[in-house]
Amino acid sequence: MPASPSTARAVNDRLALDLLQAEGPLTAGQLKQLTGLSRPTVADLVERLAAAGLIEVAGESGEQRRGPNAKLYGIVAERAHLAALDVRTEGVAVLVSDLLGRVLAEASVPIDDHSGTGPAVEQAVSLVESAAKEAGADRLHTVAIGAPGLIDPAGGELRDTTGLPEWHRRLMAALQEKFPGARVGVENETNLAALAEQRGGAARDRDTFVLLWLGLGIGAAVVLDGALRRGVSGGAGEIGFMPVPGAAGLPSATDCDGGFHSVAGSAAVTALAAEHGVAARSAGPEPHAATLVREAVRRSAGGGDPAAERFLDALADRVVLGAAAVVSVLDPGCLVLAGEVGRAGADALADRVQHRLTRMSPLATEVRPSTLGGGAVLRGALLTARDRAQDELFAPPER
């Protein structure tokens, strides 16, 4: 059946807005060319979107002939302000952007383990409030939080998980109270990192891939046919609990000791470095395991240090246990090594895992290191906030 006029208008409007998001300001003539719509239809949608406060004249093109088509139209970036948070056990980072995702302010604060739930929440909320003020935002339209742990698919809240601070779960409600009217949501940090890698990182040319998070904890994000898969309970990718050879015992429903986490998590990597005589001074807030891996990579590249080589080989032997299990079930064709340890290992670790995986599995799989550095979770949170805000603001008005 043909679309109704209102449906056709909504589709055309969203198409134009998506093009302006992707390409930047465009003339009416350029919109006509890119959309394939008629000149009168483009003129109508430009007038409609401008009246709705979604687009504005952003300048003029370089065309010699002046006229309506020479005007450049762009999205009104100040229509909404967004906040993205990366919440860790040791602190929180935040950035505030406009509707186009352009960062206007960013900040971070460490939060001590012994701060207590109330003071920790207050510190985090104050950080967001001050960043919003610095960005000139009177209010926040959408807030996206990235945090470790399971997200309840029914309520969209962070579930109570052993080993994670209580203030993580309290933060969402506190932000909702501080910024009434804002849309506040939380997503698993590994999923957000995968979204960022998919949009502009190591997996930008892949519709299907798995991101392995190697850091304080172990996790995975599963992207199949372009869509993030969370599972029925929100636990898809909880591979820290996956039984693997070499672990002492088996994991339980409440403790991942005995699972993949116990051989490839931060504590296990630190112990493995000590066994091979690799030492390094702690550097900043990152897990010491990442510092050790980075030092081993440096020593290995600098002169083929035998101890560093053996350590990296042993680490790859452990990482490939989880990688091979994931590949055998999902056949993703691509694995991205992320998290603090994955980033520290870079190509040196990815190449070693690739070599071992090729020997272990008949399924062709490319192993790549993350290309986004430590900001992948924040970037993924910002993309999520922008998508959610635009989905609401760009939707056709209810009648």
Side-chain angles (χ1 to χ4, degrees):
M1 295 178 61
S4 66
S6 60
T7 300
R9 284 194 297 269
V11 170
N12 293 340
D13 289 355
R14 186 59 192 258
L15 176 59
L17 288 165
D18 287 344
L19 282 169
L20 292 170
Q21 165 70 57
E23 303 292 337
L26 298 169
T27 65
Q30 289 169 326
L31 282 171
K32 174 183 178 297
Q33 181 180 9
L34 291 170
T35 61
L37 300 174
S38 67
R39 187 177 298 277
T41 300
V42 169
D44 286 344
L45 75 82
V46 165
E47 182 180 357
R48 191 163 53 247
L49 294 175
L54 293 174
I55 68 172
E56 62 185 354
V57 176
E60 292 185 341
S61 69
E63 298 172 9
Q64 294 298 317
R65 184 178 68 85
R66 297 299 182 184
N69 288 348
K71 294 179 180 178
L72 284 167
Y73 297 96
I75 292 174
V76 181
E78 297 76 22
R79 176 67 184 272
H81 288 94
L82 323 170
L85 282 76
D86 181 3
V87 176
R88 303 299 179 94
T89 55
E90 73 278 3
V92 60
V94 61
L95 57 81
V96 177
S97 81
D98 60 23
L99 183 59
L100 291 174
R102 296 183 300 209
V103 177
L104 305 175
E106 52 188 318
S108 62
V109 64
I111 296 180
D112 188 84
D113 289 342
H114 308 292
S115 295
T117 300
V121 170
E122 187 175 342
Q123 274 187 279
V125 172
S126 295
L127 184 74
V128 178
E129 191 174 21
S130 62
K133 184 177 180 180
E134 180 185 342
D138 295 330
R139 59 182 294 270
L140 293 175
H141 182 280
T142 304
V143 180
I145 307 167
L150 294 173
I151 311 301
D152 181 0
E157 298 176 345
L158 193 63
R159 288 166 54 181
D160 187 8
T161 305
T162 303
L164 294 177
E166 172 68 18
W167 67 268
H168 283 197
R169 293 196 301 117
R170 299 282 185 87
L171 182 57
M172 184 174 168
L175 287 169
Q176 191 72 76
E177 182 178 352
K178 174 60 69 173
F179 301 99
R183 302 175 65 194
V184 182
V186 62
E187 178 61 272
N188 175 267
E189 61 175 352
T190 306
N191 288 343
L192 291 178
L195 175 62
E197 295 286 359
Q198 180 188 29
R199 296 280 189 91
R204 58 187 175 275
D205 61 338
R206 296 280 184 163
D207 287 332
T208 295
F209 71 98
V210 170
L211 181 139
L212 293 184
W213 183 275
L214 308 173
L216 278 174
I218 297 291
V222 180
V223 177
L224 302 177
D225 299 324
L228 183 67
R229 308 296 182 178
R230 297 176 177 83
V232 173
S233 63
E238 288 295 321
I239 61 172
F241 287 86
M242 182 170 61
V244 294
L250 293 171
S252 70
T254 57
D255 191 350
C256 57
D257 283 345
F260 186 42
H261 172 86
S262 65
V263 301
S266 182
V269 174
T270 300
L272 185 66
E275 290 176 20
H276 289 83
V278 175
R281 290 185 177 181
S282 295
E286 73 174 4
H288 188 52
T291 304
L292 292 166
V293 171
R294 186 173 290 105
E295 173 66 12
V297 171
R298 185 191 68 79
R299 285 164 52 180
S300 173
D305 183 290
E309 293 276 352
R310 287 193 295 269
F311 167 55
L312 292 172
D313 287 343
L315 177 57
D317 287 340
R318 294 187 177 195
V319 172
V320 79
L321 296 175
V326 167
V327 166
S328 67
V329 174
L330 296 174
D331 187 18
C334 179
L335 295 177
V336 176
L337 302 187
E340 296 89 349
V341 170
R343 294 196 305 271
D347 287 318
L349 181 59
D351 290 346
R352 284 172 166 83
V353 174
Q354 174 84 75
H355 177 68
R356 287 157 175 77
L357 188 59
T358 299
R359 291 191 322 223
M360 292 176 64
S361 173
L363 306 176
T365 308
E366 186 176 359
V367 181
R368 303 174 177 177
S370 165
T371 62
L372 296 181
V377 175
L378 262 182
R379 187 176 301 195
L382 177 57
L383 288 168
T384 298
R386 192 190 72 187
D387 289 349
R388 290 174 179 172
Q390 290 185 357
D391 283 344
E392 179 179 311
L393 293 172
F394 294 175
E398 296 182 3
R399 297 189 180 279

